[in-house]
Amino acid sequence: MTEPLTREPASRKPILQVRNLVKHFPLTRGILFKKEIGAVKAVDGISFDLYAGETLGIVGESGCGKSTVAKLLMNLEQATSGEVFYKGEDITRLSGRALKAVRRNIQMVFQDPYTSLNPRMTVGDIIGEPFDIHPEVAPKGDRRARVRELLDVVGLNPEYINRYPHQFSGGQRQRIGIARGLALNPEIIICDEPVSALDVSVQAQVVNLMEKLQDEFGLSYVFIAHDLSIVRHISDRVGVMYLGRMAEIGTDTEIYEHPTHPYTQALLSAVPVPDPQARERRERIILTGDVPSPANPPSGCRFRTRCWKAEERCAQETPLLAVPSVFAGSDSPAAHESACHFAAEKDVVGSASVDAA
Amino acid sequence: MPETTDSQSSATAVADAPAVAAAAPGLRKEGEKARSLRSDAWHDLSRKPMFYISGLLILFLIVISIWPGLIASGNPLSCDLAKSQMGPTSGHPFGFDTQGCDVYTRTVYGARASVSVGIFSTLGVAVLGSLLGGLAGFFGGWWDAVLSRISDIFFGIPILLGGVVFLSVVKGGTVTTVSVFMVLLGWPQIARIARGAVITAKQQDYVQAARALGASNTRMLLRHIAPNALAPIIVVATIALGTYISLEATLSFLGVGLKPPAVSWGIDISQASSQIRNAPHMLLWPAGALSLTVLAFIMLGDAVRDALDPKLR
Amino acid sequence: MTVTDERTGAAAPVSTTPLLEVRDLHVEFHTRDGVARAVNGVDYSVNAGETLAVLGESGSGKSVTAQTIMGILDMPPGRITQGEILFHGQDMLTMSAEQRRKIRGRKIAMIFQDALSSLNPVLSVGYQLGEMFRVHQGMSRKQARAKSIELMDRVRIPAAKERIGDYPHQFSGGMRQRIMIAMALALEPELIIADEPTTALDVTVQAQVMDLLAELQREYNMGLILITHDLGVVADVADKIAVMYAGRIVETSPVHDIYARPAHPYTKGLLRSIPRLDQKGQELYAIKGLPPNLTRIPGGCAFHPRCPMAQDVCATDVPLLHPVGAERGSACHFWKETIGD
Ligand SMILES: Nc1ncnc2c1ncn2[C@@H]1O[C@H](COP(=O)(O)OP(=O)(O)OP(=O)(O)O)[C@@H](O)[C@H]1O
Ligand SMILES: Nc1ncnc2c1ncn2[C@@H]1O[C@H](COP(=O)(O)OP(=O)(O)OP(=O)(O)O)[C@@H](O)[C@H]1O
Ligand code: SF4
Ligand code: SF4
Ligand SMILES: [Mg+2]
Ligand SMILES: [Mg+2]
């Protein structure tokens, strides 16, 4: 039904297959009779596989559609077109009971710890809600104890069970969100910037926890984040998005050490390094040119308005996400999928310094 | 991969995962009671003097509306023109009105009509308004467009003109017809507020989070959206209650509301207002009772709203 | 102000008065579970043109301190029990509400941690930006609109002109954050308090926003208090650093010293927790234990239940901020040992 996209060993089965996923938000005018005057092309044709037990990191410019992809995978937004196969079943078409069953197995941790918790529910009610909705997971008498255990698991004091979200700091709230995501013991967790609000030590705790749970239960993660070093630490494979499309995808080493797409190279060069000595030494690729609007993306390659390598061909032809022909058949780590006509390696100073840090 | 059907074993599996952080000692006080917004709100209310004062006052009003005879022995309709506009005398502490009726007895008996019109109208407006507004906000689309237009139409009707027309058509002002009229013209006000509040709440990620868990529409509305949309509705509804009681008075004054021999504060106030120079006591008592009633409801609304706001705790 | 003169020495020339100085600030919250002591004696200062980075555990009181400076702390349940907040040497806590309002928003602006909830969901972004110009500078609707578009361009929101009528939920997390930044910059304040301004931004936009902040800072000699968890950003832009734990400053230092030689065990643990390349596939280092319950902060050094260097004295004696060299300070009894090994 679908062909595997990546060169993975045949033994590994994808648990989630995303094919040509598209989401356009209509831009409308008028109050009673809404007239469509265009669309924000938030996600515009994305395909990837998620394998059982792996972590797929997704990085990219803010506004490029990462959260929208996450919501599409959860069926929280209706896809304009495209499919998401979970165990061979297209979940974009599900509804009602079937969807509810799938939701037990795919859970999400939200980006914004302030708005993702109901201000009028106690922490106990928030983390206990999954059990109310899926009563078969935990018998009624057990729930309170389960909630306390979950709090403990994410490193929050179980004594806080009767508190309200506003009584917590941003990082503490995010851990409440993670506890809620873990409650149903899902197979896939979509994490939309789960650790952005945490300090590095708590972040390390949460990442360790996520890895431990993964080892134990074979969980699969889609891990969206801006912090490239944490993505590198946790991910088996990394996808780089730009303006609603996937620019480059490969294993962590392929992406971080042998990026071939100019956007990835710029992104890596901008990583701030936790070392004040490096302030002056670092060579950043400063992107110039206008940030295009997703309502009106450039023709051909979407990165061409800011790409220093852009040529005539980039405006005419849309580069496909595939192993570039220059590297085809080669064994070099540069031979991974990259959507650029002129894909080539470039030593990124930033990534070298990340190593040093 | 944990077997999905085997919920029991997978359930304990997470629990067994060793905690990242070393658990602090003495964490498991299983005996401690679970708290929720409702129990916390009740706990909060139970220590607010304002709640008791307003609650007792309202209880008192309701009791005398049902059994006015408990505190007034006279008959509100037995009047003696000879005593017209007389001041207080022994046994008649509030004096007499133009017809020579006892103001005290009339004020007590008037509570029934006024309080029922106020409560029934407010309840009707609140229920109808938040239902329609809430659904419009929640489902959006053409539902919303149609309801918004309808509420605009009702909003545009001048209330007094509407009252005169409606009440003359249905012939006769009774507590029921007056209340029905108020609900008919009053619901758009609440509907607008409910719609806005629901739209605001609906966009929040926590509603999405509930959906991601597989929550039904009903659950999302009742557990997540309604509690967060309730506060502004309570405030507006309690203030509106006062308006409805005074509106009943105005309609009586215009001759389309309740009519004598019915007894209501509205009728008495409208009759007394022309005599304010000669006999201010005629106005003072029914108007005072009206203000106190409105105040009691506003205080109660305030206390409930505060109790439902965890940020003030 | 007579009070300040006594403290700083009457002869102190005006130029040495810091732009903002927080002295011994204490803030607590009254909850049903007891009194949560969120801020327990915070001292820090920023000069004009300087960037102070405030680091610390999540829940350590960074945001509460910032909210207190801005005068937007919810009271109740919050309560300021002690301390001074001096802006140009004047204590803002004893000022009249009128005076304080003049400072807030115009002279001190804040970029909030929670971008979505600080924007009104039912008003368009353009309206909210324009309102600032209309209210504070009396601009006409049209002028305000033009100015708002210019600001949105400045924080790199694509197609600002078309999207000015959009509502907050129609923007991505990072875009909302940039809109908040635009609002704070609008009136060109003397001091900006940025509470995790770039948490929701990708590194390229983050670099642009930090450059923008730096540029404005140079241009207007603005002070900046930067609250962040990103040690990379701190290394990039900060002049000095204050590290918080359980509502206190546990270490202060100019930026270059702290990374190589932290003088407090908490800072040391924090730096060790940064993921390094050679740790791939291994557990990351994390400071053990739970953050303290603020209603029951441990006696002595608040960090002692989690500190690998703790001795008996740590459980009984509160460590003061010991001077470490000329410019640094560490609230640890054993700072010498910490810095040494
Ligand atoms: N409900 C909506 N209506 C209209 N446009 C939307 C809506 N939701 C998102 N968008 C637009 O879709 C684009 C992608 O948004 P998305 O939230 O997916 O970005 P993101 O990659 O998660 O960014 P960030 O890293 O800043 O969170 C943005 O341009 C955003 O403005
Ligand atoms: N209204 C409140 N009632 C009770 N406790 C509160 C309240 N507001 C904040 N707190 C507590 O005060 C402490 C400090 O919170 P603050 O938001 O300042 O943390 P922070 O250092 O900014 O953390 P983060 O980095 O996670 O944002 C937290 O432990 C929090 O639980
Ligand atoms: S296809 Fe052209 S514009 Fe696009 S990234 Fe490659 S070189 Fe740049
Ligand atoms: S005072 Fe003691 S417990 Fe506190 S940080 Fe120093 S060594 Fe650790
Ligand atoms: Mg996002
Ligand atoms: Mg904070």
Side-chain angles (χ1 to χ4, degrees):
Chain A
M1 139 205 63
T2 47
E3 286 175 24
L5 274 176
T6 30
R7 308 154 297 138
E8 290 292 329
S11 60
R12 292 185 65 195
K13 276 206 349 238
I15 185 167
L16 208 62
Q17 291 169 295
V18 177
R19 292 294 174 270
N20 293 318
L21 203 56
V22 175
K23 176 71 195 180
H24 291 181
F25 293 104
L27 288 168
T28 52
R29 280 267 160 77
I31 296 169
L32 188 50
F33 300 103
K34 293 210 158 64
K35 203 173 70 187
E36 229 179 285
I37 54 163
V40 175
K41 302 188 173 73
V43 175
D44 208 13
I46 279 197
S47 306
F48 61 83
D49 288 340
L50 177 71
Y51 292 88
E54 83 162 347
T55 302
L56 173 70
I58 295 186
V59 298
E61 188 152 29
S62 94
C64 72
K66 301 180 298 297
S67 298
T68 308
V69 167
K71 286 185 182 151
L72 289 171
L73 296 184
M74 292 298 302
N75 213 340
L76 285 176
E77 295 277 6
Q78 192 66 49
T80 309
S81 68
E83 295 101 36
V84 177
F85 294 99
Y86 166 71
K87 294 186 171 166
E89 190 178 19
D90 182 3
I91 59 172
T92 59
R93 312 249 179 283
L94 292 184
S95 61
R97 198 177 283 270
L99 181 61
K100 188 172 164 187
V102 169
R103 282 197 164 137
R104 235 194 87 176
N105 294 319
I106 311 182
Q107 269 305 307
M108 178 159 177
V109 176
F110 284 80
Q111 175 172 3
D112 190 335
Y114 288 88
T115 56
S116 59
L117 305 177
N118 186 338
R120 289 174 204 267
M121 278 165 86
T122 61
V123 170
D125 284 346
I126 291 172
I127 303 178
E129 182 165 36
F131 303 130
D132 291 343
I133 296 172
H134 299 271
E136 71 280 5
V137 177
K140 207 154 185 130
D142 264 12
R143 290 189 193 160
R144 211 67 194 166
R146 288 291 304 282
V147 170
R148 285 169 170 275
E149 274 154 8
L150 283 165
L151 279 173
D152 200 69
V153 161
V154 295
L156 280 176
N157 201 325
E159 285 174 42
Y160 292 165
I161 194 160
N162 283 327
R163 292 206 184 177
Y164 290 89
H166 74 274
Q167 296 173 319
F168 291 90
S169 75
Q172 292 170 325
R173 285 187 223 200
Q174 194 61 321
R175 279 185 272 177
I176 298 170
I178 292 174
R180 175 176 59 190
L182 288 173
L184 295 175
N185 217 14
E187 291 178 51
I188 302 174
I189 302 186
I190 319 263
C191 309
D192 191 358
E193 307 197 28
V195 293
S196 300
L198 308 180
D199 68 73
V200 278
S201 179
V202 178
Q203 168 180 299
Q205 286 183 353
V206 170
V207 167
N208 288 344
L209 166 74
M210 288 179 61
E211 296 204 305
K212 186 168 284 167
L213 293 169
Q214 182 167 49
D215 289 347
E216 246 161 84
F217 310 121
L219 291 178
S220 312
Y221 297 127
V222 174
F223 192 94
I224 299 170
H226 287 309
D227 183 337
L228 293 165
S229 50
I230 204 77
V231 169
R232 176 163 202 185
H233 181 85
I234 197 169
S235 303
D236 302 302
R237 288 188 306 133
V238 178
V240 181
M241 276 181 70
Y242 186 80
L243 211 62
R245 295 245 174 94
M246 198 65 93
E248 187 167 5
I249 188 166
T251 66
D252 60 309
T253 325
E254 287 169 348
I255 297 294
Y256 282 78
E257 279 166 30
H258 308 276
T260 61
H261 196 286
Y263 175 65
T264 314
Q265 292 164 352
L267 194 67
L268 288 173
S269 81
V271 176
V273 184
D275 172 13
Q277 311 300 329
R279 236 195 244 197
E280 270 69 56
R281 273 196 276 116
R282 236 174 68 217
E283 183 196 317
R284 285 197 321 213
I285 303 172
I286 308 278
L287 291 178
T288 50
D290 280 343
V291 184
S293 148
N296 185 19
S299 66
C301 173
R302 299 205 155 176
F303 187 53
R304 71 177 164 83
T305 52
R306 300 161 79 195
C307 181
W308 62 96
K309 282 160 66 178
E311 289 181 22
E312 191 49 34
R313 183 178 166 202
C314 306
Q316 311 296 337
E317 256 178 77
T318 306
L320 297 176
L321 184 68
V323 180
S325 50
V326 268
F327 300 117
S330 106
D331 244 1
S332 108
H336 57 268
E337 290 168 274
S338 171
C340 172
H341 295 306
F342 306 105
E345 279 196 63
K346 173 183 194 300
D347 176 43
V348 180
V349 184
S351 78
S353 326
V354 170
D355 306 357
Chain B
M1 182 60 44
E3 195 52 52
T4 33
T5 47
D6 189 0
S7 60
Q8 205 52 40
S9 78
S10 58
T12 40
V14 166
D16 290 342
V20 214
L27 290 187
R28 296 198 198 285
K29 287 188 286 172
E30 298 294 356
E32 198 196 319
K33 262 191 60 194
R35 300 210 304 252
S36 65
L37 185 69
R38 204 177 311 165
S39 69
D40 276 350
W42 182 245
H43 175 98
D44 227 46
L45 277 180
S46 67
R47 37 184 68 197
K48 273 210 177 111
M50 208 163 91
F51 172 67
Y52 287 109
I53 296 172
S54 57
L56 284 177
L57 211 59
I58 289 170
L59 197 71
F60 172 73
L61 280 165
I62 292 177
V63 168
I64 64 158
S65 305
I66 302 173
W67 300 291
L70 283 181
I71 57 164
S73 50
N75 180 346
L77 298 177
S78 72
C79 309
D80 182 356
L81 266 178
K83 294 183 179 152
S84 174
Q85 298 190 357
M86 247 172 72
T89 59
S90 99
H92 304 280
F94 295 179
F96 297 88
D97 67 8
T98 313
Q99 262 86 49
C101 314
D102 178 33
V103 174
Y104 173 75
T105 314
R106 283 190 70 88
T107 305
V108 172
Y109 275 81
R112 176 181 290 174
S114 298
V115 170
S116 346
V117 166
I119 291 184
F120 291 144
S121 313
T122 309
L123 275 182
V125 163
V127 169
L128 191 71
S130 36
L131 205 69
L132 291 180
L135 290 177
F138 187 68
F139 290 106
W142 64 268
W143 248 100
D144 186 22
V146 170
L147 270 166
S148 297
R149 276 342 101 194
I150 295 180
S151 85
D152 281 351
I153 293 169
F154 277 95
F155 226 65
I157 299 174
I159 198 144
L160 284 180
L161 187 66
V164 171
V165 174
F166 178 84
L167 290 172
S168 20
V169 168
V170 300
K171 296 224 174 58
T174 63
V175 168
T176 322
T177 53
V178 171
S179 302
V180 166
F181 162 73
M182 306 252 188
V183 173
L184 219 55
L185 281 203
W187 70 268
Q189 190 193 10
I190 300 279
R192 284 189 176 190
I193 290 159
R195 176 178 170 270
V198 167
I199 289 179
T200 308
K202 193 177 74 166
Q203 283 164 9
Q204 304 286 323
D205 279 350
Y206 58 79
V207 178
Q208 299 267 311
R211 217 153 66 120
L213 286 170
S216 60
N217 277 348
T218 328
R219 185 183 180 86
M220 281 192 287
L221 260 171
L222 292 185
R223 286 282 284 175
H224 295 278
I225 295 178
N228 286 290
L230 211 57
I233 295 176
I234 290 179
V235 175
V236 176
T238 48
I239 293 171
L241 187 126
T243 325
Y244 296 142
I245 297 182
S246 356
L247 199 63
E248 178 264 312
T250 317
L251 289 172
S252 303
F253 183 71
L254 289 177
V256 290
L258 303 184
K259 289 192 192 83
V263 188
S264 92
W265 296 337
I267 296 171
D268 288 1
I269 291 170
S270 56
Q271 282 177 357
S273 49
S274 55
Q275 302 295 327
I276 184 142
R277 276 161 191 277
N278 321 339
H281 65 269
M282 275 168 58
L283 184 65
L284 188 70
W285 296 107
L290 175 76
S291 313
L292 202 65
T293 309
V294 172
L295 193 70
F297 277 100
I298 289 182
M299 269 162 60
L300 183 71
D302 244 25
V304 170
R305 186 204 51 192
D306 283 359
L308 284 176
D309 188 352
K311 293 212 173 105
L312 295 174
R313 206 164 287 138
Chain C
M1 290 259 108
T2 50
V3 188
T4 54
D5 285 348
E6 274 166 34
R7 300 235 176 156
T8 50
V14 186
S15 62
T16 63
T17 318
L19 178 61
L20 181 97
E21 191 176 0
V22 178
R23 284 193 191 157
D24 197 27
L25 187 69
H26 291 251
V27 180
E28 55 188 39
F29 291 98
H30 288 253
T31 69
R32 258 179 76 183
D33 301 322
V35 179
R37 296 179 209 288
V39 176
N40 305 297
V42 162
D43 291 274
Y44 58 57
S45 69
V46 217
N47 293 313
E50 193 179 47
T51 301
L52 166 75
V54 181
L55 287 171
E57 176 151 272
S58 92
S60 61
K62 303 182 295 294
S63 301
V64 170
T65 309
Q67 285 162 7
T68 314
I69 295 173
M70 279 304 283
I72 51 169
L73 187 72
D74 285 333
M75 294 193 281
R79 224 170 66 188
I80 303 166
T81 49
Q82 203 176 318
E84 295 173 354
I85 295 171
L86 309 175
F87 184 68
H88 285 301
Q90 282 193 310
D91 188 359
M92 299 214 292
L93 295 179
T94 55
M95 267 179 200
S96 71
E98 182 63 27
Q99 272 176 306
R100 216 177 322 155
R101 201 167 50 238
K102 279 196 188 134
I103 295 178
R104 193 190 310 152
R106 245 183 280 188
K107 301 218 166 122
I108 307 182
M110 182 155 173
I111 301 169
F112 291 91
Q113 189 173 0
D114 45 341
L116 181 56
S117 28
S118 349
L119 291 168
N120 188 336
V122 296
L123 297 176
S124 76
V125 160
Y127 181 90
Q128 295 183 58
L129 275 171
E131 195 177 24
M132 314 239 319
F133 296 112
R134 290 202 307 275
V135 171
H136 286 287
Q137 300 187 338
M139 284 190 189
S140 74
R141 226 160 234 284
K142 213 161 160 195
Q143 281 173 314
R145 191 184 136 89
K147 196 91 185 164
S148 311
I149 294 177
E150 183 193 315
L151 262 180
M152 279 169 75
D153 270 339
R154 204 155 180 187
V155 291
R156 309 261 145 57
I157 292 185
K161 226 191 191 119
E162 280 94 80
R163 301 206 63 179
I164 190 155
D166 282 2
Y167 292 87
H169 78 275
Q170 294 173 309
F171 289 89
S172 80
M175 291 161 129
R176 293 198 284 253
Q177 194 64 44
R178 279 180 272 167
I179 290 162
M180 287 299 303
I181 293 171
M183 281 188 160
L185 295 178
L187 302 172
E188 287 156 12
E190 290 178 42
L191 175 71
I192 289 199
I193 304 175
D195 193 352
E196 306 195 19
T198 58
T199 302
L201 303 181
D202 69 281
V203 285
T204 53
V205 180
Q206 169 175 299
Q208 286 167 351
V209 166
M210 291 316 301
D211 284 351
L212 177 70
L213 277 174
E215 183 193 314
L216 287 162
Q217 197 175 9
R218 267 194 310 276
E219 201 173 318
Y220 302 107
N221 203 26
M222 225 164 55
L224 175 66
I225 298 179
L226 179 70
I227 301 174
T228 180
H229 291 308
D230 191 327
L231 293 156
V233 171
V234 171
D236 250 8
V237 303
D239 297 309
K240 54 186 193 184
I241 293 180
V243 182
M244 283 185 74
Y245 185 81
R248 288 188 66 197
I249 304 283
V250 294
E251 179 162 6
T252 57
S253 165
V255 67
H256 27 273
D257 299 340
I258 207 164
Y259 284 82
R261 297 170 67 225
H264 192 280
Y266 173 70
T267 319
K268 206 170 177 170
L270 208 59
L271 291 167
R272 259 185 82 183
S273 307
I274 302 172
R276 288 195 323 267
L277 196 54
D278 55 354
Q279 286 178 316
K280 174 98 189 168
Q282 295 170 21
E283 249 188 53
L284 292 171
Y285 176 82
I287 299 169
K288 69 177 195 327
L290 290 174
N293 181 339
L294 293 179
T295 56
R296 258 168 296 157
I297 296 179
C301 172
F303 190 53
H304 84 259
R306 307 171 67 189
C307 179
M309 313 216 10
Q311 308 273 329
D312 289 346
V313 61
C314 301
T316 50
D317 294 8
V318 178
L320 301 174
L321 199 70
H322 301 282
V324 178
E327 293 177 287
R328 306 182 57 181
S330 163
C332 171
H333 296 305
F334 303 101
W335 63 269
K336 281 202 190 96
E337 289 80 349
T338 308
I339 211 168
D341 64 54

